[in-house]
DNA sequence: CAAGGCTTGGCAATGATTTTCATATCAAAT
DNA sequence: ATTTGATATGAAAATCATTGCCAAGCCTTG
């Protein structure tokens, strides 16, 4: 199974479309799907192909300017990487209620791993999922 | 977006197919895709529909007898939940080389979060990805 | 045996993401 | 300004894991 990914490597050309995608992404507070961004941009009168949105997002992720997670349906959600540090959550599998976590501990742990391993550009995904008290109380 | 999942809840009927799936899953050392399990079982002369494999796996996950993760392609990988504790890895984004991590720290952290939050049946996903020394050295 | 309810499995449908490919754009070189 | 080779775009088609559908089979109860 050869890794078949061909992503443009920085520096790329500065195209209006890519700037638009970056802008649209940065304009969103949390994570957004490519589809949503595409729709948003279209609504703003900015016609950009869905393929291009995907390509731009992939490039942004590759360049470390965006984070990406998967929701329960396997859909990828993107978020612009600003200065503000990221956050991890404990989400309820049933109602979707999300509890923000104090993640200093894992952050330092992840940093240490990154340092000791010699790996470059290490990113991490930490997701906790359970059933909230409310949902475990009332069945259905 | 209504969660549209209809998964048989334990206890279900004990069908040969479900036992086969469980067996096949337990027989594998690490994580396996539904497709692979299906192929494996077929190779062993056990004819089980792919849909059934998916249903059985979903039920096993629901019942806490299996863990599930997503690989980089969004494919779901399943693993039987035995007594042995699970493992986390730091994988290379380019060559796929995986480094097993000492995860005691996060395990206890996750356990504490689970306890303090009051959430039930808390599972966690911890994935680190970077570029290994080898790959960052020789650029393609 | 009959009725009703789970289960199964092949196949179609879904839907996100990728690939294709013809075209457009860019930037450097002539 | 024109040429040229590389790169970017986007519409449509392809990919592919996963799910929906549904007729047929199996099990249990009466
Ligand atoms: Zn809940
Ligand atoms: Zn973190
Ligand atoms: Zn590598
Ligand atoms: Zn763990």
């Amino acid at each position: 199974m050869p890794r078949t990914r061909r992503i443009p490597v920085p520096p790329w050309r500065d195209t209006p479309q890519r700037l638009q995608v970056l802008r649209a992404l940065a304009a969103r507070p949390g994570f957004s799907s490519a589809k949503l961004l595409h729709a948003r941009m279209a609504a703003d009168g900015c016609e950009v192909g869905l393929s291009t949105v995907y390509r731009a997002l992939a490039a942004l992720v590759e360049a470390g300017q965006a984070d990406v997670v998967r929701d329960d349906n396997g859909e990828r959600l993107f978020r612009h990487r600003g200065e503000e540090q990221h956050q991890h959550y404990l989400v309820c599998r049933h109602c979707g209620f999300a509890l923000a976590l104090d993640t200093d501990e894992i952050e330092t742990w992840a940093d240490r791993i990154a340092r000791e391993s010699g790996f470059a550009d290490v990113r991490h995904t930490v997701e906790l999922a359970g059933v909230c008290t409310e949902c475990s109380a009332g069945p259905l």
Side-chain angles (χ1 to χ4, degrees), chain A residues 29-50:
Chain A
F31 283 89
S32 316
S33 71
K35 194 175 46 175
L36 193 158
L37 287 173
H38 179 247
R40 244 345 134 185
M41 295 169 67
D44 289 354
C46 165
E47 296 290 334
V48 174
L50 182 56

Side-chain angles (χ1 to χ4, degrees), chain A residues 62-80:
Chain A
E62 193 76 358
Q65 295 194 61
D67 290 316
V68 55
V69 300
R70 297 242 189 213
D71 66 9
D72 260 5
N73 305 315
E75 189 174 3
R76 280 214 268 273
L77 304 179
F78 303 84
R79 180 188 54 181
H80 179 235

Side-chain angles (χ1 to χ4, degrees), chain A residues 31-132:
Chain A
F31 283 89
S32 316
S33 71
K35 194 175 46 175
L36 193 158
L37 287 173
H38 179 247
R40 244 345 134 185
M41 295 169 67
D44 289 354
C46 165
E47 296 290 334
V48 174
L50 182 56
S51 323
T52 302
V53 172
Y54 271 107
R55 284 189 282 241
L57 287 173
L60 285 172
V61 170
E62 193 76 358
Q65 295 194 61
D67 290 316
V68 55
V69 300
R70 297 242 189 213
D71 66 9
D72 260 5
N73 305 315
E75 189 174 3
R76 280 214 268 273
L77 304 179
F78 303 84
R79 180 188 54 181
H80 179 235
R81 247 201 197 176
E83 52 309 305
E84 73 289 354
Q85 90 256 9
H86 67 207
Q87 181 71 53
H88 300 290
Y89 300 91
L90 168 53
V91 304
C92 173
R93 263 194 294 279
H94 279 84
C95 67
F97 169 71
L99 187 64
L101 300 177
D102 172 22
T103 54
D104 287 345
E105 211 168 315
I106 14 171
E107 295 307 328
T108 55
W109 174 82
D111 287 347
R112 181 164 50 77
I113 296 289
R115 206 171 334 107
E116 294 175 353
S117 67
F119 274 49
D121 193 22
V122 175
R123 326 243 180 93
H124 63 264
T125 300
V126 174
E127 296 173 46
L128 280 77
V131 181
C132 75

